[in-house]
Amino acid sequence: MTELVATTPGLFPLPDWAKSDLSDLKGHQKEDLVDGDEADAVRDAYATARGEVVDAQVDAGLDRVVDGQLRWDDMLAHPLTVHDDVETRGIVRYYDNNNFYREPVVSEELDFSGDVADELDATAALTDEPVQAVLPGPYSLADLATDEYYEDDREFLAAISEFLAGEADAFPDVETLYLLEPSLVENAPDDDVADDLASAVTTVADAVDAAVVVQPYWGALDEKTHAHLLDADVDAIGYDFVANHEDNLYNINEYGTTDDVSLGLVDGQNTLVEDPEVVRDRVDWVHEQAVSADFDTTYVTTNTELFYLPYAKYEAKLDVLGEAVSLAEVEA
């Protein structure tokens, strides 16, 4: 029987008070503030907000607690935009939606930063629950960045993967690491780098003593990309069953998948709050339809990051995930 784990891919919205306070602080002190070098008042506000999102996850009964990535103004590009040796330039649209990030331009050799490890240290100090780390996957981070140093797509992907591995190696003890890979769907790797995808992902995964989940979203992987990703040494691959259940189910049944699986079954962008019993039924449906798979662990999660949602809706989505898994466990 599969173990069900309620979790999220992180990247939460700020609490309403924090949005207002941080906007005022950064507006008044803009000349002194950049990500990674906040004034004390800004750091204190983020620390308080971190405590709130940790408490919300624990109260919802989630099995994994994430930092929330509240400082990630540049979303998945964050680990590069706060790097001392990476230049940030103009505003770029975040895939095909109304969110934006500062373009990170890599013009020197990437070295260790430690920014995400510091966040996880702070989170681990707030809870006794299992902690889950979140990073952009190496392909997505390379896709969102601009390379002016390595000047070769394969070399750049390898450098990004080594950079992320160095960051992950500094993490405190974590139970799970989610690597978020929307670019695998939105801008699938071409033949120049596709063969290097598994190696890049494995490089990051090998840096942690934790279960590693690769979570693509905003649709389904094409067959070639799915096949390459299956060659990576990870514990679970994720599938966005909100955006495209047919093609994701086809990939699982036609080509197989990992022993564990991550199912994006709650909409991370839509403010409509699902019924926990409906989500429980979706878990059962995937298990019944995935005729070629017998999963050891099933991570039940939202299909995307949650920063798109108003804060109250984000909290409600956490409650849905926790209750859906609790219902399934009771009925089992």
Side-chain angles (χ1 to χ4, degrees), residues 63-76:
D63 298 299
R64 302 288 187 270
V65 173
V66 302
D67 171 76
Q69 294 71 51
L70 303 178
R71 292 176 51 250
W72 291 28
D73 294 340
D74 300 295
M75 291 163 285
L76 293 184

Side-chain angles (χ1 to χ4, degrees), residues 104-126:
V105 180
V106 178
S107 55
E108 298 183 43
E109 185 174 2
L110 288 172
D111 57 9
F112 177 70
S113 165
D115 181 82
V116 180
D118 290 343
E119 292 181 339
L120 288 169
D121 286 335
T123 301
L126 295 174

